[in-house]
């Protein structure tokens, strides 16, 4: 009886409404910054003289910085403890640096300097964002994770709506949205200032209002006496397949050079080779630092994480295709315009911004309905349903030609987006050792970033080969990817705890 009472006493406390609000509120500012970046960076680069063909290369900053920084931040945040706690130092540092980048990006008059600010912004947003996923796991018991991630998703949707519409709102208030050549319009600059303020204030709210559990408390919640740094003393696994990745990368680089393939494939080939060299180096030196732990934990992912990785891979291919090609599809199909200087094209492009704001608003609302469905059919099945809603929405973008009716496919897309931002993390945090939430969620980001790199490097060639002048068929490809992701989710086994807790 005494042992049973001790176990009950060591259960992690449930959060009330305001506790969940405080834990997640920082995401509101982070997502405003992301939305501003997604909607306006290409506009800034083009205003500063970038050619359209160079935009994809400049945009590759996001996936690359996320691939490198998120697992490193996860590794170190798992092992940090100080006056501000475990995760909060990273929130705060990332927010301050991102705010500086948001102020600098629209005020530089040089393309290269603007690109440098974009890299700084992406890196800072990754520093602030990565620990937030682990933070929700740290601060809530297993049976409240769905609610915690629902709050995060709600703030992500609300922030995306405000960030997406900010330039139009400032223009509505009488602030100009045009400027002379080489100058960023005032409405865009003021929007970035708004994003900087929101970033610092919302993240600062979470930093000041939440007290993190100490390493000793976290160990007690898990029914053990394991200290926070115990993971550093675990035996490491050194993969033997490094040479395979190097060979694959070198072969791809040789094919690009010899066959004159899309030069962006150099990025993918180089990435494969570097990943292989990293594994070879870690194994050859029997390294013990952050890189060795990332490689080792990648090799030892829980089976549920491997299953989720397949679903994530197809999911993010689908979404990234839609983000890239919705504008040319909608402007051509619903507005009959392909000339980027025409009034019809710009009207259509503005409507795409409204559509994207709408689906983020739907996601903010759907976030609180998904946990209710999950209680009835399970998290994996709920996510599969959400992904199928997204697939139907993408088919709608292929078929619908009336601008107003295009909001209907956005409902399906919004439900899918709400599920993507919550359900995989609910499943994941239930099977991970709590002392490794940070590093494993950082590694999980690989299966978000790699699909984006694949789309960025391959989709242009696919378009030229199979859909020349017909971008609408990319929506069919995206829908098929989402359907495959839904099928993969049905293979995910839930609720098996990771060993070593």
């Amino acid at each position: 009886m005494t042992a049973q009472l001790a176990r009950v006493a060591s259960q992690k406390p449930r959060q009330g409404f305001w506790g969940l609000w405080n834990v997640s509120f920082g995401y509101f500012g982070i997502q405003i910054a992301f939305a501003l970046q997604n909607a306006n960076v290409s506009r800034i680069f083009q205003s500063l003289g970038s050619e359209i063909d160079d935009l994809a290369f400049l945009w590759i900053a996001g996936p690359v910085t996320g691939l490198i920084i998120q697992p490193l931040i996860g590794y170190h945040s798992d092992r940090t403890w100080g006056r501000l706690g475990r995760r909060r130092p990273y929130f705060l540092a990332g927010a301050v640096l991102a705010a500086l980048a948001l102020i600098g990006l629209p005020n530089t008059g040089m393309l290269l300097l603007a690109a440098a600010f974009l890299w700084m912004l992406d890196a800072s947003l990754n520093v602030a964002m990565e620990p937030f996923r682990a933070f929700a796991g740290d601060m809530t018991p297993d049976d409240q994770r769905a609610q915690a991630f629902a709050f995060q998703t709600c703030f992500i949707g609300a922030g995306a709506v405000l960030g997406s519409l900010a330039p139009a709102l400032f223009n509505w208030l009488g602030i100009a949205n045009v400027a002379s050549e080489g100058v960023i319009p005032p409405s865009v600059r003021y929007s970035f200032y708004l994003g900087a303020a929101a970033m610092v204030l919302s993240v600062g709210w979470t930093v000041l209002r939440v007290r993190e559990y100490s390493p000793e408390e976290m160990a007690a919640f898990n029914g053990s006496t394991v200290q926070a740094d115990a993971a550093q003393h675990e035996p490491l696994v050194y993969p033997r397949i490094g040479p395979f990745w190097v060979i694959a990368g070198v072969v791809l680089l040789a094919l690009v050079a010899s066959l004159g393939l899309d030069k962006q494939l150099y990025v993918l080939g180089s990435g494969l080779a570097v990943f292989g060299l990293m594994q070879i180096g870690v194994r050859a030196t029997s390294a013990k630092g952050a890189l060795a732990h990332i490689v080792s934990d990648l090799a030892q992912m829980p089976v549920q994480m491997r299953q989720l990785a397949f679903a994530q891979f197809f999911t993010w291919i689908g979404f990234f295709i839609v983000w890239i090609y919705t504008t040319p599809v909608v402007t051509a199909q619903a507005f009959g315009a392909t000339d980027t200087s025409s009034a019809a094209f710009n009207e259509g492009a503005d409507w795409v911004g409204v559509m994207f704001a709408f689906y983020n608003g739907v996601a903010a609302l759907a976030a609180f309905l998904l946990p209710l469905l999950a209680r009835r059919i399970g998290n994996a099945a709920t996510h599969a349903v959400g992904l199928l809603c997204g697939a139907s929405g993408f088919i709608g973008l292929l078929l619908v030609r009336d601008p107003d009716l295009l909001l209907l496919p956005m409902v399906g897309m919004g439900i899918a987006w709400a599920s993507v931002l919550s359900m995989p993390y609910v499943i994941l945090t239930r099977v991970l050792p709590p002392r490794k939430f940070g590093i494993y969620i950082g590694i999980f980001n690989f299966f978000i970033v790699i699909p984006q790199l694949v789309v960025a490097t391959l989709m242009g060639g696919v378009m030229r080969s199979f859909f020349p002048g017909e971008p609408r068929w990319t929506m069919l490809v995206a829908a098929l990817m989402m359907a495959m992701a839904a099928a993969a989710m049905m293979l995910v086994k839930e609720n098996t705890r990771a060993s070593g807790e």
Side-chain angles (χ1 to χ4, degrees):
M1 177 66 71
T2 302
Q4 184 178 3
L5 289 174
R7 284 196 298 273
V8 172
S10 66
Q11 287 295 309
K12 192 178 293 183
R14 291 178 63 82
Q15 298 282 345
F17 175 87
W18 290 110
L20 292 171
W21 177 289
N22 293 338
V23 165
S24 301
F25 187 61
Y27 246 119
F28 179 66
I30 292 173
Q31 196 59 37
I32 289 175
F34 263 120
L36 286 169
Q37 172 185 299
N38 290 340
N40 296 285
V41 164
S42 289
R43 179 180 186 176
I44 290 172
F45 285 160
Q46 287 182 276
S47 296
L48 296 176
S50 171
E51 298 294 334
I52 293 177
D53 291 343
D54 295 330
L55 289 176
F57 178 76
L58 294 170
W59 264 102
I60 213 164
V64 171
T65 53
L67 194 65
I68 296 169
I69 287 177
Q70 288 217 20
L72 290 173
I73 293 299
Y75 169 86
H76 288 293
S77 73
D78 283 342
R79 290 157 173 78
T80 294
W81 186 257
R83 291 184 61 188
L84 283 178
R86 188 183 193 189
R87 315 289 183 189
R88 289 178 296 166
Y90 297 92
F91 303 162
L92 189 58
V96 171
L97 291 173
L100 294 175
L102 285 166
I103 293 170
L105 185 56
N107 285 298
T108 176
M110 298 173 56
L111 180 60
L112 289 179
L113 190 55
F117 272 120
L118 175 61
W119 281 79
M120 177 181 171
L121 178 60
D122 265 307
S124 303
L125 289 174
N126 277 292
V127 170
M129 180 181 67
E130 195 283 335
F132 259 104
R133 296 291 189 193
F135 193 52
D138 292 342
M139 300 304 300
T140 55
D142 285 355
D143 62 357
Q144 204 179 21
R145 295 276 163 73
Q147 284 181 280
F149 288 116
F151 267 79
Q152 284 193 356
T153 302
C154 181
F155 283 125
I156 288 171
V161 170
L162 179 56
S164 298
L165 296 179
L169 291 174
F170 277 116
N171 186 38
W172 180 73
L173 292 173
I175 297 172
N177 68 344
V178 294
S180 58
E181 185 177 354
V183 178
I184 310 304
S187 63
V188 175
R189 286 190 284 111
Y190 287 5
S191 297
F192 275 63
Y193 302 157
L194 172 67
M199 184 85 185
V200 173
L201 292 174
S202 64
V203 171
W205 179 276
T206 292
V207 169
L208 293 175
R209 301 292 294 179
V210 179
R211 184 191 73 84
E212 292 187 69
Y213 297 119
S214 69
E216 292 74 23
E217 288 175 308
M218 291 294 289
F221 293 144
N222 299 316
S224 71
T225 58
V226 177
Q227 298 300 308
D229 63 350
Q232 292 191 4
H233 305 293
E234 294 177 354
L236 297 176
V237 172
Y238 299 105
R240 299 175 180 271
I241 60 173
F244 166 79
W245 293 108
V246 173
I247 292 170
V250 170
V251 168
L252 179 56
L253 291 172
L255 289 173
V256 175
S258 61
L259 300 179
L261 302 178
D262 194 323
K263 292 183 178 179
Q264 292 187 66
L265 287 170
Y266 280 124
V267 176
L268 186 59
S270 299
L272 294 175
V274 169
F275 180 62
L277 290 172
M278 179 178 70
Q279 294 195 26
I280 292 170
V282 166
R283 181 175 179 82
T285 60
S286 298
K288 304 293 183 183
L291 189 58
H293 279 270
I294 292 170
V295 170
S296 177
D297 287 334
L298 180 62
Q300 299 180 84
M301 289 190 300
V303 63
Q304 293 87 354
M305 187 170 174
R306 295 177 186 274
Q307 293 165 343
L308 282 168
F310 283 103
Q312 288 287 92
F313 183 80
F314 293 120
T315 297
W316 284 90
I317 287 180
F319 262 107
F320 207 52
I321 289 173
V322 169
W323 289 337
I324 291 173
Y325 292 105
T326 295
T327 295
V329 169
V330 169
T331 52
Q333 218 169 253
F335 290 82
T338 56
D339 179 4
T340 57
S341 64
S342 68
F345 181 92
N346 283 286
E347 183 183 356
D350 288 345
W351 186 244
V352 171
V354 173
M355 290 165 58
F356 278 23
F358 183 78
Y359 92 72
N360 277 288
V362 170
L365 298 175
F368 293 104
L369 300 178
L370 292 175
L372 301 177
L373 181 61
R375 291 194 194 114
R376 299 181 66 88
I377 66 173
N379 297 302
T382 296
H383 190 40
V385 170
L387 294 173
L388 290 175
C389 288
S392 66
F394 298 165
I395 291 294
L397 290 175
L398 170 66
L399 299 176
V400 176
R401 284 173 159 72
D402 183 276
D404 293 330
L405 292 180
L406 279 170
L407 293 178
L408 291 178
M410 294 296 98
V411 174
M413 190 169 170
I415 294 171
W417 187 231
S419 189
V420 166
L421 294 174
S422 56
M423 288 297 113
Y425 297 96
V426 174
I427 298 169
L428 190 62
T429 54
R430 288 183 174 180
V431 300
L432 294 179
R435 66 182 180 275
K436 289 190 173 185
F437 275 176
I439 190 170
Y440 267 124
I441 289 176
I443 290 172
F444 196 55
N445 189 60
F446 288 171
F447 309 109
I448 297 174
V449 171
I450 292 172
Q452 294 182 39
L453 290 173
V454 169
V455 173
T457 54
L458 293 180
M459 201 61 196
V462 171
M463 279 286 299
R464 287 189 292 273
S465 299
F466 297 101
F467 314 122
E470 290 286 343
R472 68 193 186 99
W473 293 109
T474 59
M475 299 297 118
L476 178 60
V477 176
L480 291 173
M481 293 296 102
M482 295 294 276
M484 292 176 69
M489 280 306 303
M490 299 312 297
L491 302 177
V492 175
K493 299 177 181 178
E494 292 190 70
N495 300 327
T496 301
R497 298 294 301 176
S499 59
E501 298 219 13

